[in-house]
Amino acid sequence: MKRLCNHKGMIFLSFFFIMLFAMASYFSKIEKKSSKSKIILLWTSFFGIKDYISPLKNLHCEHQDCVITSDRNALKNSDAIIFHLRDMDLKDLPHFRLSNQRWIMLHHESPLHTPNFLSSLEGFFNWSVTYRRDSDIFLSPLVTPLKKPALKERQDFHKGKSLLAVWFSSNCITPSNREVYVRELQQVVPVDVYGSCGNKECLPKMSKKCYNEASQKYFFYLAFENSMCKDYITEKFFNILSTDMVPVVLGGADYTQFAPPNSFINVLDFPSPKHLGKYLQNVARNVTLYNKFFEWKQYYKLESSHYACDICKKLHDHNEVEKVYHNINHWWFVEANCKSWTSG
């Protein structure tokens, strides 16, 4: 009986150690898996919003093996640190830096609305996230050809419209002088202005609802930027591409690099607001010509991903070359080649 008990005891101990080893192996695998996740630290807020990036699974990222936090205690373990330029305080920067961290500048604004302290941040940033096409991560949507033309019933985008052009704006004095262009254009053709710069209103301001309501009545939308700088195109342009209006653009970018062919009308292709106004009237009168500005929808699509998805992907790319912006002030301000529209 004593030998039997000892035998059972040995079996129990063996089983116990096997289970212990299995559990240790299981948790070790979990630890190894979690250790592959990259940590992205939000050092600043985003216009006062602290946790401004959702978990990557909510953003439907292709790579989701990154953790995003605003807890500064994670500084020493972070793989990337995001600084929103408009919320940066030079007196509130990390007190140490690890050699393998990526410090990232996030900025949506033009150079003309950029804090004037970039010269103090030479050698500070590794990556940039902006609207500039030469940024490390590009903020604007990308135009990509469809694998097959969209087989949709041909739509008449002209039907039901009776008003020529509309502009939504509450910023009435801008570096681009867009408001001056609108006033001169209004001397030639009717342009309805919504917001603080006009006498019409739609609420909520700049909402999808307002854009959709406008697209049922207006042929054209004035997608005029507040600054005319290299690559500077804001979401208002891409929002209009998703409506049934033709965007009329004023900006410093080469729009052919951002938008499908024949999807917009560029102010700078005309010698004056008077010439543009006459062209808009001609297009609005011609059903066939107007509908040609929407043919691109059969062959192209706009694709966009959240910049946090792209950051996570780059952090896991072992072939990513290390870099530092040693002349970021020149890159951002001087190379932007900002200008203003002038009459005549």
Side-chain angles (χ1 to χ4, degrees), residues 29-39 65-67 79 312 315-316:
K29 288 180 180 179
I30 290 181
E31 185 178 353
K32 286 180 181 178
K33 184 177 180 180
S34 63
S35 67
K36 293 181 180 179
S37 293
K38 304 294 185 180
I39 298 176
D65 42 356
C66 289
V67 177
D79 299 279
C312 184
L315 288 174
H316 286 277

Side-chain angles (χ1 to χ4, degrees), residues 154-173:
R154 189 174 293 275
Q155 183 179 347
D156 183 3
F157 294 93
H158 188 281
K159 186 177 180 180
K161 297 180 180 179
S162 59
L163 302 176
L164 190 71
V166 63
W167 183 41
F168 293 167
S169 181
S170 296
N171 186 357
C172 309
I173 301 177

